[in-house]
Amino acid sequence: MSFGLVLILTLIFFLIFGTPIAVAVGLATILSMLTAGDINALPAITQKMFTSLDSFPLLALPLFTLSGELMEVSGISERLVRFMRMCFRKLPAASACITTISSAFFGAISGSAPATAAAIGGIMIEPMKDAGYESSDAAAINASSASLGIIIPPSIPMVVFATTASVSVGSLFMAGIVPGFLLAVSFCVMHGIRYGHVEKRASVKLTFKEFASTFFQAIFALGMPILILGGIYGGIFTPTEAAAVSCIYAIIVGCVIYRNLSFKQIWKSVCEISVRVSSMLTIVCCATAMAWFVSSSGLAAAVSKAVLAGLSNKFAILTVVNLLLFVLGCIIDPTSIILLTCPIIIPITQALGLSSVHVGAFMIMNIAVGMVTPPFAGTLYISNQLADERNMGAVVRKVIPYIVMMFMITLVVAYIPQLSIALPKVLGMTV
């Protein structure tokens, strides 16, 4: 299948020379179709691009993005961090652990790793530096912790995967809870080992009045994940409806309760999110057309057959798949990875008898690792800028242990499906 080689080489060529991902994917698809002689199928590209957006579950993507932005602008993230600092101040390397725990909670609000890095980093990096952490350490801690933003539900990449692989968004959300918890605990253990000597445990006692005041200020931030996940799994609304409810909740809390969110700020957030989401949806359009061609042309089946024939061991196949996802995560954005690899990876994993929900869980974890690993490293660059660290090499060296640990835990989740699908099964959800 020479057109498959054309597809890969042209895509790599365009990406190397800085062509926007959506354009690169679209041009590579058209050129490979021409090579295959499928000229009559070219009009179908437009149809596939349109139908890819005609999806009710995909509507959750811009809505969750907007709700996370509104929660950040309204100051809810700051109140959340303040509460976490009060609760976990006696842990070893408390500031680092609080950064991780706050990132996990904010991830349950925003569904975005970059947004989590910006929101939590903007609040916690300076206190970490004041506590004795080097700026490179603070950036590395924040970048790795922010990766929890797309593993803890709700998660924007999970919505994209669920739509692409035709699996339940709710099931995939539940599949991310245990892996996300494992990562958060592992981060905190590593913080204690690496930085326990830097920051001693707090010795000042907290009064009940201080606790109550901080708790009531943060109660509406803590209620956000309960509202979203409780509503979904309580059967009150779908994930897409939950995303809309979360936007309304953020507006009410910001405008009526905290009174620091104006109409001007809401409009500014809507405009910023519109530009960001538009670029993501453009990639969805073009990548969906490529995925359709890869599947309908038989290329996906041929690759799947070749992989299964070349590697007979299940663990070897899973290792290769995870390594591929890890490498792609370092150089391509999450949406593109999901849309480009699903047509090939899903048939391979289905032949191994694996659930697509389980595959989605470890795929999202790989993407999270890639967001911390250069050269893409979205959360790393944001954290580096917030820490005002000019030596990027120092930050990369400090983040390597976290990358290694994240990838090892990802492999464990890939090898042991029960870690991701046990919770959805207990709740009676489809896996």
Side-chain angles (χ1 to χ4, degrees), residues 278-297:
S278 296
S279 63
M280 294 170 63
L281 293 180
T282 304
I283 294 172
V284 169
C285 289
C286 297
T288 301
M290 175 181 279
W292 165 78
F293 172 66
V294 168
S295 179
S296 62
S297 66

Side-chain angles (χ1 to χ4, degrees), residues 313-320 322 354 358 362 407-419:
N313 185 278
K314 177 180 177 180
F315 293 103
I317 294 173
L318 282 175
T319 302
V320 170
N322 278 276
L354 298 178
H358 169 226
F362 71 72
F407 186 68
M408 296 305 295
I409 293 176
T410 300
L411 287 179
V412 171
V413 172
Y415 296 152
I416 308 175
Q418 289 75 16
L419 290 175

Side-chain angles (χ1 to χ4, degrees), residues 83 108 111 115 129 141 174 182 187 277 324 341 405 418:
F83 177 72
K129 291 165 69 175
I141 291 167
M174 280 291 100
L182 284 175
F187 283 156
V277 171
L324 172 65
T341 60
M405 185 183 67
Q418 289 75 16

Side-chain angles (χ1 to χ4, degrees), residues 73-76 79 253-262 265:
V73 171
S74 63
I76 291 178
R79 291 173 171 82
V253 170
C255 293
V256 179
I257 299 174
Y258 293 151
R259 297 183 180 181
N260 56 359
L261 186 64
S262 64
Q265 290 173 313

Side-chain angles (χ1 to χ4, degrees), residues 116-130:
T116 302
I120 303 302
I123 301 169
M124 285 303 303
I125 283 180
E126 286 304 320
M128 278 194 282
K129 291 165 69 175
D130 293 340

Side-chain angles (χ1 to χ4, degrees), residues 93-344:
S95 296
C97 293
I98 290 165
T99 300
T100 295
I101 297 169
S102 299
S103 295
F105 270 88
F106 191 78
I109 295 174
S110 68
S112 167
T116 302
I120 303 302
I123 301 169
M124 285 303 303
I125 283 180
E126 286 304 320
M128 278 194 282
K129 291 165 69 175
D130 293 340
Y133 295 80
E134 295 181 9
S135 57
S136 56
D137 289 310
I141 291 167
N142 186 68
S144 54
S145 299
S147 64
L148 294 168
I150 62 170
I151 300 173
I152 303 290
S155 163
I156 292 171
M158 283 185 180
V159 173
V160 177
F161 179 89
T163 306
T164 305
S166 299
V167 300
S168 166
V169 177
S171 297
L172 194 54
F173 278 1
M174 280 291 100
I177 290 181
V178 173
F181 177 78
L182 284 175
L183 272 178
V185 171
S186 300
F187 283 156
C188 289
V189 171
M190 182 170 283
H191 297 333
I193 295 172
R194 298 185 73 188
Y195 304 110
H197 66 284
V198 174
E199 183 181 12
K200 304 300 180 181
R201 299 188 185 192
S203 57
V204 179
K205 291 186 177 181
L206 191 70
T207 65
F208 177 78
K209 183 178 180 181
E210 290 173 325
F211 175 84
S213 174
T214 308
F215 172 74
F216 282 112
Q217 287 181 20
I219 193 169
F220 294 103
L222 298 171
M224 181 69 144
I226 296 174
L227 174 69
I228 295 173
L229 299 178
I232 293 173
Y233 303 114
I236 302 174
F237 36 65
T238 66
T240 304
E241 292 167 344
V245 169
S246 68
C247 290
I248 297 172
Y249 180 87
I251 292 173
I252 292 174
V253 170
C255 293
V256 179
I257 299 174
Y258 293 151
R259 297 183 180 181
N260 56 359
L261 186 64
S262 64
F263 177 80
K264 184 178 180 180
Q265 290 173 313
I266 295 174
W267 178 247
K268 182 180 178 181
S269 296
V270 169
C271 292
E272 290 178 356
I273 292 302
S274 298
V275 175
R276 194 186 313 167
V277 171
S278 296
S279 63
M280 294 170 63
L281 293 180
T282 304
I283 294 172
V284 169
C285 289
C286 297
T288 301
M290 175 181 279
W292 165 78
F293 172 66
V294 168
S295 179
S296 62
S297 66
L299 180 60
V303 173
S304 175
K305 185 178 180 180
V307 171
L308 293 172
L311 296 170
S312 57
N313 185 278
K314 177 180 177 180
F315 293 103
I317 294 173
L318 282 175
T319 302
V320 170
V321 168
N322 278 276
L323 285 171
L324 172 65
L325 292 171
F326 170 71
V327 171
L328 290 176
C330 299
I331 56 177
I332 306 178
D333 69 282
T335 302
S336 300
I337 295 171
I338 293 168
L339 294 168
L340 295 177
T341 60
C342 272
I344 295 175

Side-chain angles (χ1 to χ4, degrees), residues 57-119:
L58 194 60
L59 183 60
L61 190 153
L63 291 174
F64 274 130
T65 306
L66 178 60
S67 69
E69 178 73 13
L70 292 173
M71 295 291 269
E72 181 181 352
V73 171
S74 63
I76 291 178
S77 57
E78 184 177 352
R79 291 173 171 82
L80 177 65
V81 171
R82 196 180 304 147
F83 177 72
M84 295 302 164
R85 293 181 71 173
M86 177 188 66
C87 292
F88 301 101
R89 62 197 177 88
K90 290 195 174 183
L91 289 175
S95 296
C97 293
I98 290 165
T99 300
T100 295
I101 297 169
S102 299
S103 295
F105 270 88
F106 191 78
I109 295 174
S110 68
S112 167
T116 302

Side-chain angles (χ1 to χ4, degrees), residues 26 29-30 33 40-54 284-286 288-290 292:
T29 304
I30 293 173
M33 290 180 73
N40 295 329
L42 285 175
I45 291 181
T46 305
Q47 179 187 10
K48 294 299 177 183
M49 292 175 69
F50 174 78
T51 55
S52 67
L53 298 182
D54 188 19
V284 169
C285 289
C286 297
T288 301
M290 175 181 279
W292 165 78

